[in-house]
Amino acid sequence: SSQQSRIMWAVKISDNPNGMAMFSSRGPATDKRIKPEISAPGTNILSNRSPVPTAEVMWGEYNQYYVFAGGTSMATPLTAGAAILTREILAKRYGITNPSAALIKATLVHTAFDMYPGQYGEGTPTQELKTRRPNSDEGYGRVDMKQLVDIGAAMNLVDEEAGLATGEKFERTVQVVNGKLLANLMYTDAPGTPA
């Protein structure tokens, strides 16, 4: 509608941290897996500026040392940095000195922030995120380092390194507090074939 068009053009590209950039890829994967799995800010991020005089100023000059930039080139390093800090927290706080990639991913996903309903608000004609996480727009949510740093003793981490074969099972008993349980299971698949 024309009202939706006016709203879309009036919104700035990074005016709300709970919105997904309109140029972000959305899922699901062709086999219906949730993609993306996690989100991170990727618009108007302050980044190092190249000292080469003819280098582009990306999205805009901040000063002689920094420029604004965006896209996966900004969101990916932010998420990689969060993964490194997650590994450090797991080692120092929980004594898991060599956490698996699956445990690091599960911890990031578990502490992610649900951006629902997105930047335009719930019940609006342009509501961006139709469902709470996980969904194929934000995945399990936006990387949330505050939530990750604040994880407490109630978080039960299991890193089953041996793996399971078809037909095997692994059981874990947990105590549910206040009738709420948020559980995330992540695993590392065996490499696929090139075909």
Side-chain angles (χ1 to χ4, degrees):
S1 77
S2 62
Q3 179 187 5
Q4 286 175 318
S5 296
R6 284 195 305 272
I7 291 170
M8 293 300 286
W9 285 110
V11 173
K12 297 182 176 113
I13 197 164
S14 56
D15 63 343
N16 186 335
N18 291 331
M20 294 290 293
M22 64 182 92
F23 58 80
S24 293
S25 295
R26 312 291 170 124
T30 48
D31 62 3
K32 304 298 180 212
R33 286 174 296 131
I34 293 173
K35 295 292 177 185
E37 294 168 284
I38 197 156
S39 300
T43 57
N44 287 322
I45 305 297
L46 205 54
S47 183
N48 291 333
R49 181 177 184 171
S50 171
V52 176
T54 57
E56 291 184 36
V57 293
M58 308 299 284
W59 285 20
E61 178 180 27
Y62 178 75
N63 64 24
Q64 64 181 4
Y65 303 109
Y66 298 99
V67 293
F68 290 102
T72 53
S73 297
M74 298 294 110
T76 301
L78 189 150
T79 306
I84 291 166
L85 291 172
T86 300
R87 188 177 203 287
E88 182 178 354
I89 289 167
L90 292 172
K92 289 183 177 177
R93 210 179 272 173
Y94 292 93
I96 304 170
T97 56
N98 193 22
S100 68
L103 181 60
I104 292 170
K105 182 177 176 180
T107 306
L108 282 167
V109 162
H110 190 80
T111 58
F113 177 80
D114 186 0
M115 296 187 294
Y116 175 88
Q119 62 183 333
Y120 306 116
E122 190 170 21
T124 63
T126 54
Q127 182 176 336
E128 177 185 26
L129 305 175
K130 305 297 184 195
T131 62
R132 295 199 171 276
R133 69 179 186 151
N135 58 55
S136 291
D137 294 305
E138 66 174 312
Y140 288 84
R142 183 181 66 236
V143 171
D144 187 346
M145 289 309 298
K146 181 179 180 341
Q147 181 70 20
L148 197 144
V149 169
D150 290 344
I151 57 177
M155 181 120 153
N156 191 336
L157 302 165
V158 177
D159 200 3
E160 176 58 38
E161 295 179 23
L164 298 173
T166 303
E168 291 183 329
K169 65 180 180 179
F170 173 82
E171 294 181 5
R172 179 78 175 209
T173 303
V174 296
Q175 182 178 354
V176 178
V177 180
N178 297 329
K180 294 180 181 178
L181 174 66
L182 175 59
N184 288 294
L185 172 67
M186 296 290 170
Y187 53 91
T188 304
D189 279 331
T193 63

